[in-house]
Amino acid sequence: MGHKKRTKNAVQEETNKTCRKPLVSLKFSIWTCFVLALIAVSALFAPGFEDGNYTLWFADGNLGQHRTIVDAAKSLGGFLWQQTFFLGNGSPAGSLFYLNWPLLTVLPMGLSMWLNIFCHILLAVAGGWFCAKALGIGHSGAAFSGIAFGLTSHFVTLMGAGHLGKLQCIPWLPWTLGFFWKAWETGHLRYFLLTAVFYSPMWLSGEPQLPYYLGMYMVLLSIYFTIQKSREKRPLYVKTLFKNFALSGLCLLIIIILSWQGIFTFMHRAVEAKPVDNITSVEETTVQPADEEKGYDFSTGWSFPPEETIIFLTSMRLFGTASPIYWGRMGTKSFHMTQVDHYMGVLVVIFALFALFNMRSNKAAWFLLFMLLSSLFIAYGRYTPIYRLLYHLPTMSAQRIPSRWIALTALSFSMLAGIGYERFTQVLETNDKKKTKQNFIMPVLVAVMALATLVTWGILSNSTESVAESMFGAQGRFASSSTHMTQERTRLFISAFLHTGLLLTASAIILGLGLWLASIQTFSRTARPIILRAWIIACLAFTTLDLSMNDRNYIEFFNWKLFFRNDGLVDFFLRDPDYYRIQTIAPQQHPYLNQFTTYTPHWHKLRLANSPAASRLWPKYETLFKALSSKSIGYQFNPRYYDIFSVKYVLSPVELPPQIRDFAKLDLIRQLPMGNIAPLFLYKYQGFVSEPLFVPHTEICQSDDDVVHRLTAPDFDLNKTVVGMDLPDISADSSGSVILDDFGDNTIRISTQSQGPGWVVLKMKYDSNWKAHIDGEKAEIFNVNYVHCGIPVEPGQHVITMIYAPSRLAFNVTFTGWCFVAAGILFCLFWRLKEHLTRKRKNSLRTT
């Protein structure tokens, strides 16, 4: 008996020695993470490989956004004036400097879109892995965090919403946080520089709100490290803190240099732009709430409802089950649908909770927990008093969609899950019987959750209508041609319980199997590590499958060449050579009209009078909208509105009454059948002027209020008189003609002939970046009619050339900064290569 006992103890010691060696090496974690991510991304985009004519995703605005960025990159910004300044909303000029635009300008359309999103998902996976390593998480935990963040539904399902800017922004979040953590932890200059290099693309991606939010946490992280270092009471810690703050200032300066365009655009919108609600009914025009309350309602329009927190653990998709993309509530008063899914994955949530019981002295875990909870409660928006306090911070009143903070919640979840996963694998490695038995409570609790979920599904499935009434009420009662939206939402909600219960059951089996394998002592020294590594890979593969199958529900594919054919309405507009704009009425009430106003104009370069997708308009536009509103008739029916904004066509989902048509001077051209859905009605404005105007008279006012009052007066003729402040006094009974010769990407050429002096007026947004020449001589462009461009001309024949030439200071600063970064990277690569060759030469000399 004694011999057998000694033999058993010897085997136990050998096994423990073997298990003390890391089961997962650095190369193993990198390759496992990369291969699984590659498989997941390939599975997500499998339909895209079938035909090169298909884009990767199809939803509101994404094709148009992609096309706009490509065209803007090709013309280095000149194209943008047509799409942004011409319409009145802000400029996405920062996206021109984003790192991938040279590829987009060279590759075909479908391939460039596919490569763009493919690379960004892999970048997000790699960023999650790196951030976990920077926070001190082990190899296996880093691999789990990389998969969890790179495939998290909040990120991937943005494809379904067509949010190109967010897709290009979110992958840089973990890189920036990881380098900033390392910078403050070590105090090394290179990490501060790398923080600036990886933080800057976020500002240039087209989604400046997320780096703004992350910057807040970076400031808090600096304070957190300051408190930690002061408690350690190390010698010269004050000097170290001063050094870190100085390097942080240097980091901020480099960020401003590298991303000046994006920061400038963000600050311009946040400070000067004001929210304008889409007016879709007469009642909305009569109710004018207080400015602050109106701004708060606008900023919190897309708040994340607290009851929907359950969606973090509720899967909507399992093994290809087809279903619509939504079952809850989020949105604005007029548009309730959500844009993305926030499912984190069952194992991700389980291991994140497991990390909370193993935090102790882990400072990374405490900061991640703070970031998770704070970002989540801020994302609740109007549903908690926290956002009311945050709303009064600088520029926050201009921010909207609080649910965007969920990106930081997802990052925190992924990193905490990595910590929990690493601790769990350490239990398997150490082979401690006591800890193994203690952790068996984990799969038991998960099994109980699975049973409770399946029981809940069984109960709810018998009372769909009552659940629908209690959950959604009147808000969910959107009727479609096929099914009642409330019942459909409830069916999906109940179906999600079944999917989640099955996933929880599988998770309990995986966790229990791992602990059981760890408790078995009969494995040989070589077999035990192999079996446990196989379990680790299986766990990672399960999470990959869980997340990617849920994400696949949100990805659709579309043949981009369809934009060039089979659309009679677009063909009709494209055949019209006139200089025009299209006004849409209540686009959200009609599926086709909603799609038409979102991506079609960008693709075909059609011009809308005001895009419903533009949430922020030029402040002067807002003033005119209010001045042109009518208590009895909405502003979109006011003929003065059509005069000012040069509207030729009006698209409506309903037939306008005769009294409205007479008041607005609209002629019905045709009724457009739309198959099984309601038809569209196309109207033409009777007073439309196809060319720029020759106006002989000037009326000078003393203030902007006087200009608006005169401009909107019923007796004022916009085609005969120019009104404004500080204008040359031209009043002559002369006549003239104006011909628009060219309307290019960044140039306009006009021919004019007149008997006397007058004004050449273009009904487009005035911008000081326009430069004009008359017959080769420099001329001044004036702000006339509050929003238009006006050029005074002398009698006779003249050729006017206008060039859109914004200041290149921001461009030069940003471009020069990125050139220095590229030169630095090339120098480092050259230096490393030189060192490698020198070392190799020395080794060869030693061997000889």
Side-chain angles (χ1 to χ4, degrees):
M1 289 290 294
H3 175 69
K4 290 182 179 180
K5 187 174 183 180
R6 283 193 300 272
T7 304
K8 186 176 181 180
N9 290 338
V11 171
Q12 178 68 33
E13 282 187 22
E14 290 294 329
T15 305
N16 288 339
K17 287 180 181 179
T18 304
C19 291
R20 288 193 190 102
K21 298 178 181 178
L23 286 173
V24 180
S25 64
L26 181 64
K27 290 183 178 180
F28 179 86
S29 68
I30 292 175
W31 280 108
T32 302
C33 190
F34 176 75
V35 170
L36 288 175
L38 198 61
I39 294 173
V41 173
S42 301
L44 286 172
F45 302 147
F49 295 121
E50 297 174 1
D51 191 338
N53 293 331
Y54 281 79
T55 58
L56 267 184
W57 70 92
F58 171 57
D60 289 353
N62 46 26
L63 285 171
Q65 284 178 308
H66 192 87
R67 171 69 178 267
T68 301
I69 291 175
V70 171
D71 288 348
K74 289 180 179 178
S75 62
L76 288 179
F79 172 80
L80 285 175
W81 79 267
Q82 288 192 40
Q83 298 298 331
T84 57
F85 292 105
F86 180 79
L87 298 176
N89 48 328
S91 167
S95 61
L96 288 179
F97 296 90
Y98 191 68
L99 305 178
N100 66 348
W101 71 261
L103 286 177
L104 302 184
T105 60
V106 174
L107 298 175
M109 182 68 185
L111 179 60
S112 65
M113 295 184 74
W114 179 89
L115 187 62
N116 189 18
I117 190 61
F118 184 88
C119 292
H120 278 89
I121 288 184
L122 293 183
L123 182 67
V125 173
W129 180 91
F130 169 78
C131 185
K133 292 295 297 179
L135 297 177
I137 302 174
H139 301 322
S140 60
F144 191 84
S145 292
I147 293 294
F149 180 74
L151 299 179
T152 182
S153 293
H154 177 80
F155 168 57
V156 178
T157 59
L158 285 168
M159 284 181 284
H163 289 182
L164 188 61
K166 297 185 188 66
L167 288 166
Q168 295 179 158
C169 180
I170 290 178
W172 302 100
L173 283 172
W175 290 100
T176 304
L177 181 63
F179 278 120
F180 193 70
W181 184 279
K182 294 281 286 185
W184 268 85
E185 193 173 46
T186 63
H188 291 165
L189 173 63
R190 65 177 180 271
Y191 290 123
F192 283 98
L193 296 178
L194 288 170
T195 299
V197 170
F198 279 82
Y199 187 49
S200 298
M202 297 176 66
W203 287 102
L204 303 176
S205 63
E207 182 55 43
Q209 285 183 243
L210 287 177
Y212 181 69
Y213 300 156
L214 180 63
M216 295 181 181
Y217 282 107
M218 291 167 70
V219 172
L220 295 177
L221 184 58
S222 304
I223 299 174
Y224 181 64
F225 266 103
T226 301
I227 296 173
Q228 289 289 334
K229 290 183 181 295
S230 63
R231 287 181 176 179
E232 293 174 0
K233 296 182 179 180
R234 293 182 178 180
L236 301 177
Y237 82 91
V238 176
K239 182 179 179 181
T240 303
L241 288 176
F242 180 79
K243 173 188 173 183
N244 285 351
F245 277 110
L247 291 177
S248 297
L250 175 63
C251 175
L252 179 61
L253 178 62
I254 296 174
I255 290 169
I256 293 175
I257 293 174
L258 295 180
S259 55
W260 176 258
Q261 289 284 96
I263 295 175
F264 173 78
T265 302
F266 170 75
M267 296 304 297
H268 174 75
R269 291 184 181 183
V271 175
E272 296 188 13
K274 297 179 181 179
V276 178
D277 293 339
N278 291 327
I279 302 176
T280 57
S281 65
V282 175
E283 289 75 17
E284 290 184 13
T285 63
T286 60
V287 179
Q288 295 293 337
D291 290 341
E292 183 174 351
E293 285 302 315
K294 181 180 178 181
Y296 184 76
D297 290 341
F298 173 82
S299 297
T300 58
W302 292 89
S303 299
F304 185 62
E307 70 271 16
E308 281 197 26
T309 308
I310 192 176
I311 202 173
F312 288 136
L313 189 63
T314 309
S315 174
M316 291 297 298
R317 176 77 180 241
L318 182 64
F319 303 118
T321 303
S323 65
I325 65 173
Y326 187 53
W327 53 264
R329 70 182 181 97
M330 186 199 298
T332 63
K333 294 179 180 179
S334 60
F335 190 68
H336 298 286
M337 301 298 282
T338 189
Q339 296 172 330
V340 292
D341 186 18
H342 302 298
Y343 177 63
M344 298 292 175
V346 290
L347 277 184
V348 175
V349 176
I350 290 170
F351 283 121
L353 294 175
F354 185 70
L356 300 182
F357 297 100
N358 294 272
M359 293 174 65
R360 297 184 183 178
S361 60
N362 192 321
K363 58 183 179 182
W366 283 107
F367 180 78
L368 290 170
L369 178 61
F370 167 76
M371 188 164 72
L372 188 155
L373 295 177
S374 59
S375 60
L376 179 60
F377 275 91
I378 294 173
Y380 288 152
R382 67 175 65 184
Y383 302 109
T384 66
I386 296 177
Y387 203 89
R388 176 69 73 171
L389 299 175
L390 195 68
Y391 178 75
H392 295 286
L393 292 178
T395 74
M396 280 302 297
S397 59
Q399 310 302 319
R400 68 187 190 100
I401 310 184
S403 62
R404 289 178 182 171
W405 288 79
I406 296 294
L408 296 169
T409 308
L411 177 61
S412 306
F413 253 118
S414 303
M415 297 302 110
L416 281 174
I419 294 175
Y421 186 73
E422 182 69 21
R423 294 296 170 86
F424 192 81
T425 54
Q426 286 176 358
V427 172
L428 305 184
E429 292 178 23
T430 55
N431 194 25
D432 188 323
K433 289 185 177 181
K434 184 178 180 180
K435 289 185 177 180
T436 302
K437 290 180 180 179
Q438 289 175 350
N439 283 282
F440 259 112
I441 192 174
M442 188 174 173
V444 172
L445 289 176
V446 176
V448 171
M449 290 173 58
L451 180 62
T453 305
L454 293 174
V455 170
T456 304
W457 167 77
I459 295 173
L460 294 180
S461 61
N462 296 321
S463 57
T464 302
E465 293 184 2
S466 60
V467 174
E469 197 70 26
S470 61
M471 282 191 61
F472 306 110
Q475 180 180 264
R477 296 178 181 178
F478 285 93
S480 66
S481 58
S482 59
T483 181
H484 198 284
M485 185 62 75
T486 304
Q487 296 178 357
E488 181 67 9
R489 286 177 171 180
T490 309
R491 184 189 68 79
L492 295 174
F493 176 78
I494 295 172
S495 176
F497 269 88
L498 173 62
H499 297 165
T500 306
L502 297 176
L503 290 171
L504 286 170
T505 303
S507 301
I509 294 173
I510 291 175
L511 297 174
L513 180 62
L515 292 170
W516 176 71
L517 291 173
S519 64
I520 297 177
Q521 308 297 331
T522 57
F523 292 129
S524 65
R525 293 172 56 185
T526 56
R528 182 177 180 79
I530 294 174
I531 292 175
L532 292 181
R533 283 196 192 99
W535 179 86
I536 290 173
I537 294 176
C539 197
L540 292 171
F542 175 79
T543 301
T544 303
L545 178 67
D546 179 18
L547 289 172
S548 60
M549 284 298 159
N550 184 80
D551 297 342
R552 180 65 186 85
N553 187 41
Y554 289 74
I555 302 175
E556 300 180 44
F557 297 86
F558 185 76
N559 189 327
W560 62 272
K561 290 188 176 181
L562 287 178
F563 278 88
F564 290 114
R565 60 178 183 267
N566 298 332
D567 193 329
L569 183 59
V570 172
D571 291 340
F572 171 81
F573 288 133
L574 292 178
R575 287 194 301 267
D576 188 342
D578 285 341
Y579 169 62
Y580 61 85
R581 295 193 204 178
I582 307 164
Q583 168 68 50
T584 59
I585 298 175
Q588 292 180 353
Q589 297 181 9
H590 195 281
Y592 175 84
L593 196 57
N594 184 43
Q595 290 184 344
F596 177 85
T597 56
T598 48
Y599 61 79
T600 305
H602 294 282
W603 184 260
H604 292 288
K605 301 181 182 179
L606 302 177
R607 301 185 186 98
L608 295 179
N610 64 306
S611 172
S615 59
R616 300 181 185 282
L617 301 177
W618 196 29
K620 286 192 172 184
Y621 277 34
E622 180 189 18
T623 302
L624 286 177
F625 289 161
K626 291 180 178 179
L628 293 170
S629 297
S630 171
K631 292 184 179 181
S632 58
I633 301 174
Y635 76 84
Q636 58 262 57
F637 303 114
N638 195 322
R640 187 51 50 84
Y641 171 88
Y642 299 142
D643 279 337
I644 293 174
F645 298 107
S646 189
V647 173
K648 181 174 184 179
Y649 296 111
V650 175
L651 274 173
S652 173
V654 295
E655 185 174 6
L656 302 178
Q659 63 270 23
I660 294 291
R661 293 204 301 266
D662 294 340
F663 173 81
K665 301 178 182 178
L666 297 176
D667 290 331
L668 178 62
I669 297 178
R670 65 180 63 182
Q671 179 177 331
L672 305 168
M674 291 286 140
N676 296 328
I677 59 177
L680 286 177
F681 297 88
L682 179 63
Y683 298 90
K684 184 178 179 179
Y685 175 54
Q686 299 172 10
F688 172 75
V689 179
S690 61
E691 303 286 357
L693 298 172
F694 178 83
V695 181
H697 298 287
T698 308
E699 185 173 330
I700 301 175
C701 298
Q702 301 300 319
S703 65
D704 281 340
D705 292 339
D706 293 338
V707 174
V708 173
H709 177 74
R710 191 72 187 101
L711 187 66
T712 56
D715 61 339
F716 182 78
D717 192 343
L718 189 70
N719 300 325
K720 295 182 179 180
T721 305
V722 162
V723 63
M725 298 188 302
D726 302 323
L727 302 178
D729 190 2
I730 301 175
S731 294
D733 294 330
S734 59
S735 60
S737 61
V738 182
I739 299 175
L740 184 65
D741 296 324
D742 181 50
F743 193 81
D745 284 346
N746 59 352
T747 60
I748 297 175
R749 191 171 68 253
I750 301 170
S751 298
T752 178
Q753 182 177 2
S754 63
Q755 299 173 352
W759 290 89
V760 173
V761 178
L762 287 86
K763 294 180 180 180
M764 68 179 192
K765 177 187 170 184
Y766 170 80
D767 191 288
S768 59
N769 290 318
W770 281 106
K771 314 300 179 187
H773 291 81
I774 300 178
D775 300 329
E777 298 292 332
K778 187 176 180 180
E780 186 176 358
I781 302 177
F782 291 89
N783 183 191
V784 301
N785 301 337
Y786 199 60
V787 291
H788 292 163
C789 293
I791 304 172
V793 294
E794 297 296 329
Q797 294 183 353
H798 302 285
V799 175
I800 302 175
T801 303
M802 296 177 61
I803 300 175
Y804 185 72
S807 172
R808 296 182 63 87
L809 176 62
F811 177 91
N812 293 335
V813 170
T814 306
F815 184 76
T816 303
W818 281 108
C819 286
F820 274 111
V821 170
I825 293 174
L826 291 175
F827 175 78
C828 291
L829 292 175
F830 175 77
W831 187 263
R832 288 289 182 92
L833 179 62
K834 182 181 178 182
E835 285 186 340
H836 175 72
L837 294 176
T838 303
R839 195 181 305 111
K840 189 175 181 180
R841 191 181 302 111
K842 288 181 180 180
N843 292 336
S844 62
L845 291 174
R846 288 174 184 175
T847 54
T848 55

